[in-house]
Amino acid sequence: MDLLSILVAALAALAVLLIFMGLAPRSDVSARLQRYASAAPVQEAEGKQRQNLGDLLQNTTAISALNRVVERRDWGAAMSRELARADLVLKPTEWLAIRVAAIVGVPVFMFLLSPFLPAFGNPLVWLVGVLVGFFVPRFWLNRRKSKRLKAFNSRLADTITLLANSLRAGSSFLQSLEMVVRESEPPISTEFSRVIREVNLGLSLEQALTNMTRRVRSDDLDLMTTAIIIHSQVGGNLAEILDSIAFTIRERVRIKGEIRTLTAQQRMSGYVVGFLPIALVAVISILAPTFMEPMLTSPPEMLGIPAGMIILAFGGFMMVMGFIFIRRIVDIEV
């Protein structure tokens, strides 16, 4: 047996050993606290609890150690906050795995379709697929964040009114929060229930409210939490303060709706300027794969690059700038 075979056998044995070490279930205190803080419904059977492959991998010491290493980094903590704002029950490492899978999977899918659609056999199309795989998960995450924030802001005024009425009825602030959790719907109930759980775990009310403001990043919520924190320090009639804040939030929501209605045509113009040429090029490339070939051939050349590619790059840059300018014009702060 030569040295290479011995080295391969040793590496294989080491890999098997690491796999068995990684599949050992974790039993630390942080895992139990995480299960309590997430308030996930626990379904226990009379016998052994069944776990799928994803749960088994998530409970391994190797994956847990990797998650802890990532979460200690600044970008890992920022990624955790982004996932929490989008209400995604994912670890930062899982989100990174999804993004890597999208970056690799989209061009591979295009390569598999190339025998049926010849346009997908172009390496430039694969590069576009890599860019699509890079930006689409981020775009989807931002859409979830904005949708959740919009739902939160639209119900926040009624929630504050409910909270003020409960305080007038003689309930304490935590009892009022519990009533809000019972009577409201997600994402309001989800965020306020996290505040109650954090207080039960030992955090102060001010810190729990600050954490909620950091997760949601709503100006209206920041106004409410600031008023509550100041009231806890100087006193006063909190119910009247909350009523004033609720009235302010309702007026702001009404004005934002009017502005959005008046600028709908301009926002649609931005989408047309930004995406219609790209869609047109994609359709032409599928229907007539050789139509764009003169743009990618040389001569003519400019700086050693086909002139058509420079023209396309300049046109794409101008489309992006036009889209950004239109978005900035119609983005009116209230």
Side-chain angles (χ1 to χ4, degrees):
M1 182 180 295
D2 55 354
L3 181 61
L4 180 60
S5 300
I6 296 175
L7 182 59
V8 171
L11 291 176
L14 180 60
V16 173
L17 179 61
L18 291 176
I19 290 173
F20 278 102
M21 289 176 61
L23 291 178
R26 56 178 179 175
S27 59
D28 52 349
V29 178
S30 61
R32 295 195 296 269
L33 289 176
Q34 180 67 25
R35 288 197 297 268
Y36 175 77
S38 62
V42 180
Q43 300 177 351
E44 296 183 355
E46 294 181 357
K48 294 182 179 180
Q49 188 176 6
R50 296 181 180 178
Q51 291 183 340
N52 55 26
L53 181 59
D55 295 334
L56 185 61
L57 292 176
Q58 187 177 2
N59 293 328
T60 58
T61 55
I63 300 299
S64 302
L66 181 60
N67 286 328
R68 286 194 294 269
V69 170
V70 172
E71 289 174 354
R72 288 194 189 101
R73 302 293 188 271
D74 293 337
W75 59 270
M79 189 180 301
S80 298
R81 288 194 296 268
E82 294 292 318
L83 295 174
R85 289 166 188 161
D87 197 21
L88 289 175
V89 189
L90 292 174
K91 298 289 186 181
T93 51
E94 296 172 348
W95 176 246
L96 288 176
I98 291 174
R99 298 201 66 178
V100 171
I103 292 172
V104 176
V106 173
V108 169
F109 181 72
M110 290 181 174
F111 174 75
L112 295 177
L113 289 180
S114 59
F116 307 98
L117 297 174
F120 286 164
N122 193 332
L124 293 177
V125 178
W126 299 346
L127 180 60
V128 173
V130 171
L131 296 177
V132 170
F134 179 80
F135 287 106
V136 165
R138 185 67 184 177
F139 176 77
W140 176 70
L141 181 67
N142 291 333
R143 289 287 296 178
R144 280 187 62 97
K145 287 167 48 181
S146 61
K147 184 178 179 180
R148 188 169 186 267
L149 180 60
K150 182 180 179 180
F152 188 93
N153 288 332
S154 63
R155 301 169 184 171
L156 183 59
D158 295 335
T159 301
I160 295 176
T161 302
L162 182 62
L163 191 62
N165 293 335
S166 178
L167 292 173
R168 286 196 186 92
S171 301
S172 65
F173 189 76
L174 285 179
Q175 290 174 343
S176 301
L177 289 182
E178 292 176 354
M179 188 190 67
V180 167
V181 173
R182 291 194 304 267
E183 299 296 332
S184 59
E185 298 178 353
I188 294 289
S189 60
T190 304
E191 292 299 332
F192 280 94
S193 64
R194 289 179 180 175
V195 172
I196 296 174
R197 287 196 298 273
E198 289 180 357
V199 172
N200 292 334
L201 287 173
L203 271 70
S204 63
L205 180 61
E206 292 81 3
Q207 185 61 42
L209 291 174
T210 303
N211 292 338
M212 180 175 64
T213 305
R214 189 181 299 114
R215 287 193 303 267
V216 179
R217 294 189 68 179
S218 169
D219 295 335
D220 299 334
L221 180 63
D222 185 47
L223 180 63
M224 186 198 77
T225 55
T226 302
I228 294 172
I229 292 173
I230 294 175
H231 171 269
S232 64
Q233 297 174 356
V234 302
N237 192 340
L238 183 58
E240 292 184 0
I241 296 174
L242 293 178
D243 283 336
S244 301
I245 293 175
F247 175 77
T248 303
I249 292 175
R250 286 192 179 94
E251 288 299 311
R252 182 183 296 179
V253 170
R254 182 183 63 81
I255 294 173
K256 282 184 178 180
E258 293 179 357
I259 292 175
R260 189 172 181 84
T261 301
L262 294 174
T263 58
Q265 182 178 358
Q266 287 74 20
R267 286 186 286 108
M268 184 58 65
S269 300
Y271 290 122
V272 171
V273 168
F275 296 103
L276 181 60
I278 299 175
L280 184 61
V281 170
V283 171
I284 291 176
S285 299
I286 293 175
L287 297 179
T290 61
F291 185 81
M292 299 294 295
E293 287 184 358
M295 301 290 293
L296 308 177
T297 57
S298 56
E301 293 182 353
M302 295 177 62
L303 302 176
I305 303 174
M309 295 185 63
I310 296 178
I311 294 173
L312 291 176
F314 180 75
F317 174 75
M318 296 301 293
M319 287 188 300
V320 171
M321 295 301 296
F323 179 77
I324 293 175
F325 286 154
I326 293 175
R327 296 289 294 180
R328 290 292 180 89
I329 291 172
V330 300
D331 187 13
I332 302 174
E333 294 291 337
V334 179

